[in-house]
Amino acid sequence: MDYKDYEVIVGLEVHAELSTESKIYCSCRNKFGVEVNTECCPICMGMPGTLPTLNQKVVEYAVKMGHALNCTIHNVCKQDRKNYFYPDLPKAYQISQFDIPLCEHGYLDVLVEEDGTVREKRIGITRIHIEEDAGKLLHDESFAGSLVDFNRCGVPLIEIVSEPDMRSSAEAKAYLETIKSVLQYLDISDCKMQEGSIRCDVNVSVRKKGETKFGTRCEMKNVNTFSGAMRAIDFEAQRQIAVLEQGGIIEQETRRWDDAKGESIPLRSKEDAQDYRYFPEPDLLTIVLDDAYVENLKRQIPELPNKKTARFMKEYGLTYGDALLLVESPEKSVLFEQAAASKKASPKGICNWILGDITRVMNETGKTIADTKLTPEKLAYLVECIESGKISNTSGKVVFEIILNEDKNIDEIIKEKNLAQISDASALNAIVEEVIKNNQKSIDDYRGGKTNALGFLVGQCMKASKGQGNPAKMKELLLEYIDKQ
Amino acid sequence: MEMEIDIKRLAKLARLKIDESRMAGFEKDMKGIVAMVEHLPEISDSGALIDPSAPMELREDVSESKYRRDELLKNAPQTQAGCVVVPRVVE
Amino acid sequence: MKLYEMTASELSGQLKEKKISARELTEAVFARIDETESDIGAYITLNRETALKQADAVDQKRAAGEPLSPLAGIPVGIKDNICTKGMLTTCASRMLENFVPPYNATVMDKLAADDIVITGKLNMDEFAMGSSTETSYFKQTKNPADLTRVPGGSSGGSAAAVAAGEAVLALGSDTGGSIRQPSSFCGVVGLKPTYGSVSRYGLVAFASSLDQIGPIGKSVRDVAMLYSAICGPDKMDATSVRKIYPDFTRSLGKGISGLKLGLPKEYFGLGIDSETKNAVLAAAKLFEQNGAVVKEVSLPSTDYALSAYYIIASAEASSNLARFDGVKYGYRTPQYENLTEMYEKTRSEGFGTEVKRRILLGTFVLSSGYYDAYYKRAKLLQKRIAAEFASAFADCDLLLTPTTPGTAFKLGENTDDPLKMYAGDICTVTVNIAGLPALSIPCGTDSKGLPVGMQLIGAKFSEEQLLNAADWYESAAGLRAE
């Protein structure tokens, strides 16, 4: 068989937990990682007689996501009950949205890096709707039953359903990463994969290239990471192609992805498909949003990461990799743009500092940029000082450590710490001559073809200048001398 | 037109167990009720069931904790380690 | 006159004037309960000790000169599907035999704020599904007017308790007639308020879009008093209507001159007992003779209302009752091998036949392939019925109909025929479907001496007009000592 004859079709359903203060239908705290059954109440535990009340913030966040993904917002929409029995679903129905979701018919442009090139691809968004999360079942080997923790019941979710527009696992990964960064930019989800705040179901089908009809699709559940999604797509595509190549047909079914084993196993077939008996939630009235409110939320949408990455590449000449890393964090990209605005330091230089030392410090200390004393102006000036030769790169790091923690003027630090680089030949000549005098052997080595001997000599000059000599200048002087001799 | 009603399937969906001896009775009752429904007039309206004339007031996003775990689990048939216990389920 | 025979408004006056104490009154009501409860069987749970404490607290407040609500110290019984914190709330079901809610229904918080004395929890049809209180898991309530007959349902315990003097007032709930029909059968006054005017928070849901809590009392004024205490917007109930609710006792006594009263012809047709029909028409005559304009109107979709009602109510019930699964609260079967078996046995043993019947019907009308033909069609019909009422109210202020096709039937008479039982709801379900307020008030007795009730229906939020007209009738018909 030849995989190249086939095309993979992928559609994704992403569930993202929203980072609201309270739950979607009750006032319990929306908080992860607390003691079992301590963030619940009669409402989210589905006790008799209790009623849901919809959290305004959930609607706001979902509408923002709708705007970000270029959706039509349904100002008038409703919620529906999805009925099924499971111990983690206390009411035995999930309040969701069925035929009129809050947002519909959008798209997302993602940058796909494949085979060393970067291209933009538009992925259709079918719908975004709001719904409640279910609780958690805990299993313990020492115990025959399962334990139910209701803390997660009623945590607000948005479900983002894509069109079957992706044609490879790389496109799916780019889509998932872009969705995640958009959620982060809008500041509406924690996006902590390890806490399950983003989860996805993957729909995969395959067809012979040139076919216009879609093949039968299989849905994979339990995909918990983006790399897992890629593996699941690749596995499933190969499995389906193998079936077709052997003359078989693909059965529509739901499969469970086992990431540890790297395979999917059938969960239930179409025939066993649940009958969810959706109907309009009678405990809640119609959601009616006025136009001004919806428009106002649209104005609050910042430039989104996918667009920003493309712009950083074009406007600042950054590589895709660098641009992506900067844009990943709204804070870093803001720092970058504000520092680059000085126009005196190179964007690449600023980018390197942010992705290098600044990221290192943030990772090591867990601090955000706002937690430090660093300002865009100081960063720009620091890079400018280094690039102009005013201070060495080594001294730059000394300055950096200070301006992180203290609100001090860079010029003053340079003066105080005596970090200014000496570039004046007349001042450096004496040092160079002294080094030459004491290292005749290295000079001979250099002349004999050992080029790395020059590095040693520059090092000796740096040492003699107590780190203040401009290494480029001293190298120049060294070469002049060697040539002269 | 006599309509078939699959009581067994409905019972399964509703997680009810209907005794075989009771099955016929339920089916008869259901058919009577369905027949009553059958003469409903056709109403042409393809729209969704939604009433914009009754907009909902939304709740402010403020949290509060009012209940202790033991109060909430007091009515549970079986508990352990602060959780409700159910027969083992794996999916 | 014995204390338990008096109306809440009379007792309120005596309490205020300190002619009686809340303790005396509460003791009198419990003495009456001791005397008649073995015959009537109105209560599932009695709250005697707490009630006496509540009464003493009221007496102390009064002695201290604190301002008190007119209902302070009045003993009120609560239908057992309204959640009472720390007190059993069973819905007359084995499923909730031992359920003690850790929260109060909003109406209970309101009653507590008014220092009302709670006598206990009243019997009902299981999960409010029934018209005779015969589907209760615990006991059979009998009609105080004739102990061989049903008190009606589902709020049969509430109506019987008030009629028998085992409570001065009671709260019931009405999904398709469950306040009005037992009020009619027992000869008391019951109000089903406008949908959204009383919070449903803490009312164990039968059909969320139709359920409404309402008062039952011996007089229209009593009903107005209790309704004033329980109505109002509630942040815990998204369907509760945000508006200002007046003190409804102030709307009484305004007369009926110029009142336009409609008689919908469909409610006087086939299946309505002639004695009932005549009693209601006589009441219409009385209105007419005293300055009201009475005219015939038509609500053509009435014939379909019962079907639409059973579809909508059962659909919502099938979903609302799915939470009773033996996991978090309530009954759990003792023997099971796995989760599915636990669910099925728990629900089959915990629910009675009528509840199972409705869950099956509701599951059917919502299931894939039937939703459009049944549920959706019923919901569209609901719109049409509401529109027909709205146009009727363009021409009249109130509508007058029988509350039920006939008077109270014998115990066990209809239990084998659910369809016959359902047909008895024909006059009342339309009101729930349209979300309107309606009140049942006695309008005489039939040849067997059984109370006949008539129903006054108003436009949404017309309770002031409705109560005023009913109050006028009560007086004009000589139903109360002036």
Side-chain angles (χ1 to χ4, degrees):
Chain A
M1 76 182 142
D2 193 346
Y3 295 119
K4 290 216 158 49
D5 293 343
Y6 286 87
E7 186 174 42
V8 184
I9 316 284
V10 181
L12 294 168
E13 291 163 24
V14 176
H15 288 90
E17 289 181 349
L18 300 178
S19 50
T20 53
E21 166 67 25
S22 64
K23 291 184 178 181
I24 182 168
Y25 297 120
C26 66
S27 299
C28 287
R29 276 196 308 165
N30 170 18
K31 197 157 170 36
F32 181 84
V34 296
E35 172 75 16
V36 291
N37 291 312
T38 55
E39 283 303 337
C40 31
C41 73
I43 299 171
C44 54
M45 281 184 68
M47 291 210 182
T50 60
L51 297 170
T53 51
L54 177 60
N55 183 344
Q56 168 272 326
K57 209 83 180 176
V58 172
V59 175
E60 180 184 316
Y61 284 4
V63 169
K64 278 187 170 178
M65 192 61 180
H67 281 315
L69 302 191
N70 309 291
C71 291
T72 303
I73 310 297
H74 290 299
N75 291 34
V76 177
C77 67
K78 66 185 173 82
Q79 291 157 95
D80 302 274
R81 289 188 185 176
K82 179 182 182 178
N83 296 284
Y84 66 96
F85 288 88
Y86 209 62
D88 65 5
L89 191 68
K91 299 188 296 299
Y93 56 82
Q94 178 192 34
I95 307 177
S96 181
Q97 294 190 287
F98 183 53
D99 51 354
I100 314 177
L102 194 48
C103 318
E104 212 172 10
H105 308 312
Y107 62 86
L108 177 65
D109 291 327
V110 304
L111 295 168
V112 187
E113 192 181 29
E114 224 169 1
D115 309 323
T117 60
V118 178
R119 61 187 162 84
E120 196 172 64
K121 163 116 188 184
R122 178 162 291 187
I123 311 292
I125 302 295
T126 314
R127 57 185 280 157
I128 304 172
H129 69 251
I130 55 173
E131 61 184 27
E132 58 182 334
D133 209 342
K136 265 187 193 155
L137 288 171
L138 312 169
H139 311 285
D140 179 18
E141 289 313 317
S142 66
F143 182 62
S146 293
L147 301 173
V148 196
D149 173 13
F150 298 108
N151 281 344
R152 203 177 62 181
C153 290
V155 166
L157 290 176
I158 46 173
E159 179 173 336
I160 306 158
V161 182
S162 85
E163 291 291 302
D165 284 351
M166 287 154 276
R167 295 291 175 269
S168 66
S169 56
E171 288 186 5
K173 184 164 181 264
Y175 170 81
L176 289 170
E177 277 172 350
T178 310
I179 289 279
K180 182 183 168 192
S181 60
V182 170
L183 290 166
Q184 278 172 322
Y185 260 66
L186 298 177
D187 196 19
I188 61 174
S189 174
D190 288 339
C191 296
K192 288 180 182 155
M193 307 296 291
Q194 68 280 11
E195 293 180 3
S197 54
I198 304 183
R199 308 188 287 272
C200 74
D201 298 336
V202 182
N203 287 291
V204 177
S205 67
V206 298
R207 67 180 171 194
K208 276 262 168 77
K209 277 188 180 154
E211 273 278 345
T212 50
K213 256 180 67 187
F214 286 126
T216 306
R217 68 188 167 89
C218 292
E219 182 181 7
M220 270 178 298
K221 301 256 179 206
N222 194 42
V223 180
N224 298 321
T225 62
F226 292 170
S227 54
M230 288 185 80
R231 287 189 289 274
I233 291 164
D234 290 336
F235 171 88
E236 183 58 18
Q238 286 178 26
R239 185 190 70 82
Q240 291 184 15
I241 291 166
V243 170
L244 293 174
E245 283 291 311
Q246 283 158 24
I249 50 164
I250 307 297
E251 301 284 350
Q252 187 176 333
E253 60 186 358
T254 302
R255 301 174 68 87
R256 183 179 190 277
W257 174 247
D258 184 334
D259 204 43
K261 289 186 183 152
E263 61 179 30
S264 66
I265 46 166
L267 203 61
R268 56 178 173 263
S269 70
K270 192 188 175 189
E271 285 70 42
D272 310 330
Q274 307 226 34
D275 185 346
Y276 290 121
R277 291 157 283 138
Y278 279 101
F279 74 104
E281 166 57 277
D283 286 331
L284 295 168
L285 304 180
T286 311
I287 299 173
V288 181
L289 308 175
D290 67 54
D291 292 339
Y293 170 79
V294 173
E295 273 311 300
N296 184 41
L297 289 177
K298 190 171 193 170
R299 281 195 292 275
Q300 291 176 25
I301 306 296
E303 182 188 22
L304 293 171
N306 47 337
K307 295 292 167 197
K308 189 169 280 193
T309 306
R311 186 169 63 80
F312 277 13
M313 290 165 70
K314 194 164 161 255
E315 209 167 289
Y316 299 107
L318 300 182
T319 64
Y320 172 65
D322 282 351
L324 203 61
L325 286 171
L326 277 183
V327 169
E328 228 177 43
S329 145
E331 202 181 22
K332 287 180 193 173
S333 62
V334 167
L335 178 65
F336 170 76
E337 286 220 90
Q338 289 179 351
S342 80
K343 307 253 189 225
K344 286 184 181 148
S346 76
K348 175 70 187 161
I350 295 166
C351 171
N352 287 348
W353 270 91
I354 294 174
L355 298 181
D357 288 78
I358 294 174
T359 302
R360 175 185 53 79
V361 169
M362 287 168 74
N363 291 344
E364 282 170 6
T365 61
K367 282 185 181 171
T368 65
I369 294 164
D371 293 336
T372 71
K373 298 270 193 274
L374 187 68
T375 64
E377 295 72 29
K378 285 187 184 168
L379 175 63
Y381 188 59
L382 173 63
V383 176
E384 186 190 333
C385 287
I386 296 165
E387 287 178 343
S388 68
K390 188 168 184 185
I391 58 171
S392 69
N393 207 45
T394 316
S395 300
K397 289 187 193 282
V398 175
V399 173
F400 173 70
E401 292 299 333
I402 295 168
I403 57 174
L404 264 187
N405 301 312
E406 292 171 52
D407 186 15
K408 275 185 104 166
N409 182 292
I410 291 182
D411 285 331
E412 273 172 28
I413 299 168
I414 293 171
K415 208 168 156 192
E416 252 173 49
K417 299 262 171 190
N418 212 9
L419 296 173
Q421 200 161 243
I422 305 163
S423 302
D424 182 8
S426 60
L428 294 174
N429 263 332
I431 295 166
V432 172
E433 278 169 23
E434 184 69 16
V435 168
I436 286 167
K437 202 164 76 189
N438 297 332
N439 292 283
Q440 193 55 46
K441 178 154 187 319
S442 298
I443 290 164
D444 294 341
D445 286 349
Y446 179 74
R447 288 208 177 103
K450 288 189 182 167
T451 45
N452 55 1
L454 185 61
F456 172 76
L457 289 166
V458 174
Q460 291 303 305
C461 291
M462 279 303 283
K463 209 169 164 185
S465 74
K466 299 194 175 77
Q468 278 175 279
N470 180 337
K473 191 74 193 171
M474 291 191 290
K475 185 173 160 190
E476 199 179 290
L477 291 172
L478 277 168
L479 286 172
E480 255 174 47
Y481 179 84
I482 293 165
D483 287 346
K484 258 195 308 202
Q485 261 196 346
Chain B
M1 193 190 73
E2 183 85 332
M3 184 172 161
E4 282 307 309
I5 297 170
D6 189 346
I7 300 284
K8 269 192 183 148
R9 187 183 139 265
L10 294 176
K12 196 180 162 202
L13 265 178
R15 298 294 185 279
L16 290 172
K17 210 170 175 165
I18 307 292
D19 286 345
E20 283 297 331
S21 61
R22 278 259 161 100
M23 209 62 103
F26 271 115
E27 199 173 341
K28 183 174 155 274
D29 294 345
M30 290 274 290
K31 277 187 178 157
I33 295 161
V34 167
M36 185 169 88
V37 167
E38 288 290 287
H39 78 285
L40 283 186
E42 281 305 325
I43 298 178
S44 60
D45 185 337
S46 53
L49 299 172
I50 191 160
D51 179 11
S53 72
M56 177 167 55
E57 195 173 288
L58 304 184
R59 175 174 52 83
E60 217 184 314
D61 184 24
V62 178
S63 68
E64 60 174 11
S65 297
K66 283 205 304 200
Y67 292 90
R68 294 194 325 270
R69 181 166 71 188
D70 59 332
E71 286 181 282
L72 294 169
L73 297 181
K74 195 179 55 184
N75 286 292
Q78 195 186 351
T79 58
Q80 180 162 319
C83 287
V84 163
V85 179
V86 294
R88 194 168 183 89
V89 278
V90 197
E91 176 154 313
Chain C
M1 204 183 214
K2 299 247 171 61
L3 287 181
Y4 67 80
E5 290 172 323
M6 293 166 72
T7 63
S9 57
E10 291 163 340
L11 292 164
S12 176
Q14 299 213 2
L15 285 164
K16 197 176 170 190
E17 291 160 23
K18 297 182 186 166
K19 286 185 182 155
I20 55 166
S21 69
R23 175 168 264 272
E24 272 175 83
L25 173 56
T26 304
E27 281 174 344
V29 168
F30 276 101
R32 175 67 178 168
I33 291 171
D34 290 339
E35 188 185 338
T36 55
E37 178 63 2
S38 58
D39 287 336
I40 306 293
Y43 283 90
I44 292 175
T45 305
L46 284 171
N47 190 42
R48 192 185 305 253
E49 280 178 31
T50 313
L52 288 170
K53 279 186 205 148
Q54 287 167 335
D56 288 342
V58 174
D59 288 335
Q60 280 162 21
K61 282 191 189 179
R62 203 181 298 281
E66 285 184 37
L68 288 167
S69 124
L71 285 171
I74 301 289
V76 177
I78 308 297
K79 188 176 182 180
D80 210 16
N81 59 351
I82 296 171
C83 287
T84 43
K85 186 175 178 178
M87 201 193 313
L88 275 178
T89 300
T90 69
C91 292
S93 179
R94 183 186 193 189
M95 190 59 96
L96 292 178
E97 190 169 3
N98 299 308
F99 180 67
V100 179
Y103 49 94
N104 255 342
T106 297
V107 293
M108 295 313 298
D109 284 338
K110 283 177 175 273
L111 295 189
D114 275 357
D115 297 297
I116 285 167
V117 172
I118 306 303
T119 53
K121 304 299 289 288
L122 294 158
N123 199 23
M124 55 185 279
D125 281 296
E126 186 182 9
F127 284 104
M129 296 175 185
S131 313
S132 64
T133 313
E134 288 167 293
T135 70
S136 168
Y137 174 69
F138 301 107
K139 55 164 67 167
Q140 173 64 62
T141 301
K142 299 183 188 79
N143 192 323
D146 178 347
L147 296 177
T148 66
R149 292 177 185 270
V150 302
S154 67
S155 310
S158 302
V162 171
E166 293 189 12
V168 175
L169 287 164
L171 285 186
S173 71
D174 191 315
T175 305
S178 282
I179 286 175
R180 292 158 286 158
Q181 185 256 23
S183 295
S184 169
F185 278 14
C186 294
V188 292
V189 182
L191 171 70
K192 182 262 160 195
T194 303
Y195 185 78
S197 66
V198 180
S199 170
R200 290 185 299 112
Y201 189 82
L203 168 68
V204 180
F206 162 10
S208 315
S209 71
L210 307 171
D211 295 343
Q212 197 64 186
I213 295 172
I216 295 175
K218 291 191 199 84
S219 72
V220 175
R221 181 170 290 273
D222 281 15
V223 160
M225 281 172 82
L226 188 51
Y227 177 57
S228 299
I230 59 172
C231 67
D234 180 15
K235 283 190 183 312
M236 302 295 278
D237 177 0
T239 64
S240 104
V241 176
R242 277 61 169 161
K243 68 184 277 292
I244 294 165
Y245 295 79
D247 174 351
F248 290 92
T249 57
R250 290 172 188 269
S251 58
L252 306 182
K254 303 219 164 118
I256 54 141
S257 166
L259 177 80
K260 284 179 279 177
L261 194 62
L263 302 181
K265 61 179 182 190
E266 291 80 5
Y267 289 74
F268 292 88
L270 223 61
I272 307 294
D273 179 76
S274 61
E275 286 188 275
T276 297
K277 199 186 297 184
N278 292 337
V280 178
L281 290 174
K285 198 92 195 156
L286 189 61
F287 273 101
E288 199 167 31
Q289 285 162 352
N290 287 275
V293 181
V294 176
K295 58 173 166 180
E296 189 181 270
V297 294
S298 177
L299 297 164
S301 293
T302 302
D303 282 355
Y304 309 125
L306 200 56
S307 306
Y309 168 77
Y310 274 95
I311 294 171
I312 294 167
S314 303
E316 291 180 8
S318 72
S319 176
N320 284 330
L321 270 62
R323 70 187 64 197
F324 301 105
D325 57 4
V327 174
K328 304 135 303 217
Y329 42 74
Y331 177 77
R332 181 189 284 198
T333 187
Q335 296 283 322
Y336 47 89
E337 294 293 319
N338 55 47
L339 183 69
T340 304
E341 197 189 354
M342 187 197 88
Y343 279 155
E344 290 182 352
K345 287 181 72 179
T346 294
R347 290 169 58 75
S348 301
E349 293 159 13
F351 291 137
T353 304
E354 183 59 27
V355 172
K356 281 186 259 195
R357 186 175 2 250
R358 303 223 197 175
I359 290 175
L360 286 176
L361 177 62
T363 304
F364 171 67
V365 298
L366 289 176
S367 65
S368 160
Y370 298 99
Y371 176 86
D372 283 347
Y374 290 87
Y375 185 75
K376 192 168 178 188
R377 195 144 57 122
K379 289 296 283 186
L380 294 172
L381 201 57
Q382 177 178 23
K383 271 194 201 171
R384 185 189 280 190
I385 291 166
E388 284 176 9
F389 269 110
S391 77
F393 286 121
D395 288 337
C396 355
D397 301 314
L398 299 172
L399 301 174
L400 178 66
T401 76
T403 307
T404 58
T407 51
F409 47 86
K410 291 268 187 190
L411 294 164
E413 193 179 321
N414 287 345
T415 44
D416 295 335
D417 189 349
L419 279 182
K420 196 171 169 206
M421 189 78 93
Y422 297 171
D425 299 338
I426 188 80
C427 301
T428 47
V429 294
T430 46
V431 164
N432 300 77
I433 285 199
L436 306 174
L439 177 143
S440 178
I441 176 172
C443 63
T445 50
D446 69 1
S447 51
K448 297 186 223 66
L450 298 169
V452 177
M454 68 179 194
Q455 174 176 241
L456 281 164
I457 307 172
K460 281 190 181 177
F461 296 108
S462 67
E463 276 87 346
E464 288 182 274
Q465 210 171 16
L466 196 60
L467 289 162
N468 176 56
D471 179 63
W472 174 86
Y473 174 78
E474 194 177 64
S475 168
L479 294 174
R480 66 172 181 237
E482 292 292 324

